[in-house]
Amino acid sequence: MTVSQLHKARYTYTPRFPAILEEPIESIAMQKGQATTSMAHAEEIKPLFPHTYGKPVIHFVKGTAHIDKKPLRVGTILSGGQAPGGHNVIAGLYDGLKKANPGSKLFGFLGGPEGLIIGNAIEISGEIVDRYRNTGGFDMIGSGRAKIETPEQVAGVIATVKRMELDAVVIIGGDDSNTNAAILSEYFLQHGIATQIIGVPKTIDGDLKYDMLETSFGFDTATKIYSDLIGNIARDANSAKKYWHFIKLMGRFASHIALECALRTQPNICLISEEVAEKKMTLKQITDIIADAVVKRANRKENFGVVLIPEGVIEFIPEMKQLIKELNAAMAQYPDAFNTLETFKQQKAWVEQHINPESAALFASMPEDIAAEFLTDRDPHGNLQVSRIETEHLLIGLVKNRLAELKKEGTYTGKFSAQAHFFGYEGRAEFPSNFDADYCYALGRTIFLLIANGLTGYIASVYNLTAPPIEWKPCGIPLTKLMDMELRSGEKKPVIKKTVIDLNGKPFKTFAAQRERWAVETAYIFPGPIQYFGPSELCDIPSKTLLLEHEKRQQS
């Protein structure tokens, strides 16, 4: 592997972590909190997890621990999309294992959950770990999106852990992956399988966070990357003064990325999906909000701007949600009839006969190329793949049409030229920021403590994250504490609950207090690229979201 100069420099970085994790393992005591309950629907979730439900939160403090320092055999997987810092989780776990007993072994399953199911693993050596410290991506062992759900898949995992004599399996992933971890840990206990299961909070989307789980790893780095790109585009717009840039950002189920990037860059418009749903906003209302900003800025001779769009916003618009539901139902009911239609004109006419008039009118209002996407880009079950809808192009087309109407009315005299962007993969595999490098390494060391103390069915966490890393607090949270019941494929199932934007929270309120000014004025901030070297206020600052959330907690 050929490495860049930055790559070489990142090898020399020494992650900072909580002081308690520096202590010898026999001097780190496990402190139990109160029994816990699930986020909601306790009466339904508790019977499903008789062995793991209600466990206490575990804190680690200085004291005497009576731990057998026997050599451990631990396996780990990286599950789902990449997030900066995953390699440091593995490095922290490896260092914790080896510090306690050099005879311990760490194995990495290749390709994510599928590797665990079929037993495809490598032993992770010190040489391998050193090659990936403080680097981005998941290429040390790869990742995958397979789920461990069917009896055959579970049987494969059992065969693997027994054959490899694993004391524990660590699942590094998002809400679905940690749901799998919760179910697997319960199943193992029910069937007398001694292997422990520990989860780790990974997702750049930022929707895996709770009281003592303040952020998922990768969010900090990804949003700093996106903010740098947005700032560059904003500066280019302010230089050329002739384009409106519509930028779609990752975040199908929650708008944490969009909100954080808005706080960092101060765009003219930032849509927040949760607010769209709360206010039951229509597509026309959203179009009018953007068009109104275009008109006001044109009156100031500023025919340019920046609009941020969460990728999932379309599913939060009630009328769009209804349209998608009706399209899915019609095409599922009459697949043969629809598949005989050769042109979009024929398909459009057929659709308008099979959905209600309100939905038909909405469908007809869309630009033709976007409307066609609603009919062609479908998953194997016939459902629309909403994340692939080019929402940025849809809004550009609708705003353009609205401005043409306003020009005819004589209320708009400016020029509108738009550029579309989607920032997604750009943020997933960067060298982790110092914050994520530190946080992930601390998570890895915390995982080791959870395993060494014989715990299972927990997710590793580190909180108090706006303090210096030496003051961070490691803990373990029962996975069942984070659960809710959700309707999936027509059946209610226990899942780790995603955290959406709190419209009463300080991050959103801070944004909302300024957005009317940002819509009209050119108030852009250019945050620049991630800084790894230099003053702490440049290199180590956590996300705006985290800082504002802590500020509110301290005030309350």
Side-chain angles (χ1 to χ4, degrees):
M1 176 170 59
T2 304
V3 299
S4 66
Q5 290 302 314
L6 178 62
H7 200 143
K8 292 177 183 176
R10 290 311 282 164
Y11 282 152
T12 67
Y13 181 74
T14 301
R16 298 155 302 169
F17 52 93
I20 186 65
L21 298 178
E22 193 74 89
E23 297 288 333
I25 189 172
E26 57 269 18
S27 300
I28 305 175
M30 183 175 71
Q31 187 179 78
K32 295 182 179 180
Q34 299 296 314
T36 59
T37 58
S38 57
M39 300 281 287
H41 299 98
E43 70 286 351
E44 296 177 65
I45 294 172
K46 185 176 181 179
L48 299 174
F49 296 88
H51 295 80
T52 54
Y53 188 89
K55 288 186 174 184
V57 172
I58 299 297
H59 301 274
F60 293 103
V61 297
K62 194 165 182 179
T64 303
H66 303 286
I67 291 177
D68 184 353
K69 294 172 68 175
K70 67 176 184 178
L72 296 171
R73 294 172 62 85
V74 176
T76 188
I77 64 170
L78 293 164
S79 180
Q82 290 86 338
H87 290 150
N88 267 29
V89 174
I90 294 174
L93 172 57
Y94 178 87
D95 289 351
L97 284 166
K98 292 296 185 179
K99 180 181 177 182
N101 189 319
S104 292
K105 293 184 181 295
L106 179 61
F107 302 91
F109 290 98
L110 304 181
E114 183 66 22
L116 176 59
I117 293 166
I118 65 175
N120 186 17
I122 61 168
E123 182 177 347
I124 298 175
S125 64
E127 180 184 356
I128 291 173
V129 170
D130 289 345
R131 202 183 309 154
Y132 289 95
R133 290 182 189 272
N134 309 311
T135 65
F138 280 1
D139 44 319
M140 178 195 288
I141 55 175
S143 184
R145 293 190 178 275
K147 289 182 171 60
I148 304 169
E149 295 179 319
T150 68
E152 293 78 16
Q153 289 169 330
V154 173
V157 173
I158 293 171
T160 295
V161 300
K162 286 185 174 179
R163 177 176 56 81
M164 296 181 65
E165 300 179 334
L166 296 181
D167 295 287
V169 171
V170 177
I171 297 177
I172 303 170
D175 58 295
D176 279 345
S177 301
N178 279 285
T179 296
N180 279 174
I183 293 170
L184 205 57
S185 61
E186 177 65 33
Y187 185 91
F188 277 19
L189 287 173
Q190 287 183 17
H191 293 82
I193 299 166
T195 306
Q196 302 158 241
I197 305 292
I198 301 295
V200 187
K202 176 245 33 160
T203 170
I204 67 167
D205 289 351
D207 55 12
L208 186 56
K209 62 176 185 178
Y210 312 92
D211 292 339
M212 283 174 286
L213 205 172
E214 295 175 346
T215 189
S216 53
F217 80 76
F219 175 78
D220 185 82
T221 306
T223 52
K224 284 173 178 169
I225 293 167
Y226 298 143
S227 296
D228 174 30
L229 295 172
I230 293 163
N232 291 345
I233 284 176
R235 191 146 216 171
D236 184 273
N238 196 26
S239 301
K241 300 188 185 301
K242 62 180 181 180
Y243 293 119
W244 272 84
H245 294 271
F246 286 63
I247 304 171
K248 185 170 71 172
L249 295 164
M250 290 288 229
R252 180 177 174 186
F253 299 103
S255 306
H256 298 290
I257 288 177
L259 179 57
E260 173 67 20
C261 291
L263 291 168
R264 284 189 171 276
T265 62
Q266 301 185 177
N268 301 105
I269 299 289
C270 177
L271 302 178
I272 301 296
S273 299
E274 292 84 342
E275 183 183 28
V276 168
E278 175 74 18
K279 294 182 176 179
K280 296 182 170 57
M281 295 171 70
T282 65
L283 195 56
K284 183 179 185 307
Q285 286 175 317
I286 292 171
T287 301
D288 287 344
I289 288 169
I290 301 171
D292 182 62
V294 174
V295 171
K296 288 178 178 176
R297 287 181 59 75
N299 291 339
R300 297 163 59 96
K301 307 301 182 187
E302 295 186 312
N303 292 295
F304 62 92
V306 176
V307 180
L308 303 187
I309 306 160
E311 68 172 325
V313 70
I314 206 163
E315 289 187 275
F316 288 76
I317 303 171
E319 60 179 347
M320 293 297 292
K321 196 171 185 178
Q322 181 63 27
L323 170 62
I324 292 167
K325 180 180 178 182
E326 291 181 27
L327 286 174
N328 286 343
M331 295 174 73
Q333 189 173 359
Y334 307 106
D336 295 336
F338 181 82
N339 290 334
T340 62
L341 305 174
E342 296 180 356
T343 68
F344 174 72
K345 185 176 180 180
Q346 293 173 328
Q347 293 173 340
K348 183 180 178 183
W350 183 90
V351 162
E352 289 174 350
Q353 293 175 354
H354 290 82
I355 60 179
N356 71 45
E358 293 80 10
S359 293
L362 177 62
F363 186 73
S365 72
M366 296 182 194
E368 188 171 295
D369 57 335
I370 300 298
E373 290 181 2
F374 279 71
L375 304 180
T376 57
D377 202 358
R378 313 191 80 77
D379 67 18
H381 305 289
N383 295 319
L384 176 68
Q385 298 191 81
V386 178
S387 62
R388 295 189 184 179
I389 295 297
E390 296 178 319
T391 317
E392 65 277 30
H393 289 284
L394 170 62
L395 289 174
I396 287 172
L398 294 173
V399 169
K400 187 176 181 180
N401 292 342
R402 178 58 181 152
L403 292 173
E405 294 173 356
L406 295 174
K407 188 160 279 192
K408 285 182 181 179
E409 296 171 7
T411 56
Y412 172 60
T413 58
K415 296 180 180 179
F416 179 74
S417 184
Q419 299 281 348
H421 313 264
F422 175 38
F423 296 154
Y425 292 101
E426 295 89 342
R428 304 200 316 173
E430 173 66 281
F431 291 99
S433 63
N434 287 354
F435 173 87
D436 268 331
D438 296 344
Y439 178 48
C440 290
Y441 188 82
L443 283 172
R445 296 291 291 264
T446 302
I447 295 163
F448 163 69
L449 283 181
L450 293 170
I451 294 170
N453 280 275
L455 298 166
T456 189
Y458 278 78
I459 189 169
S461 183
V462 179
Y463 64 103
N464 197 35
L465 295 174
T466 59
I470 198 171
E471 298 174 21
W472 290 356
K473 300 181 184 300
C475 72
I477 302 171
L479 285 162
T480 54
K481 183 181 187 298
L482 312 180
M483 284 192 146
D484 194 0
M485 296 297 288
E486 190 175 294
L487 195 63
R488 293 196 173 182
S489 302
E491 184 181 349
K492 288 185 77 174
K493 293 185 178 181
V495 296
I496 300 292
K497 185 177 177 63
K498 284 181 167 65
T499 303
V500 298
I501 294 287
D502 178 5
L503 299 181
N504 292 312
K506 188 144 191 182
F508 177 79
K509 285 188 174 293
T510 300
F511 158 74
Q514 297 292 328
R515 60 179 166 182
E516 286 188 19
R517 180 175 67 85
W518 298 350
V520 180
E521 297 179 12
T522 300
Y524 309 139
I525 293 175
F526 315 119
I530 295 174
Q531 299 298 304
Y532 299 102
F533 315 100
S536 183
E537 60 269 22
L538 284 179
C539 302
D540 305 324
I541 195 76
S543 67
K544 296 273 189 184
T545 300
L546 198 55
L547 289 168
L548 289 167
E549 287 171 341
H550 264 266
E551 198 176 296
K552 183 174 182 179
R553 275 195 286 268
Q554 289 169 354
Q555 289 172 351
S556 60

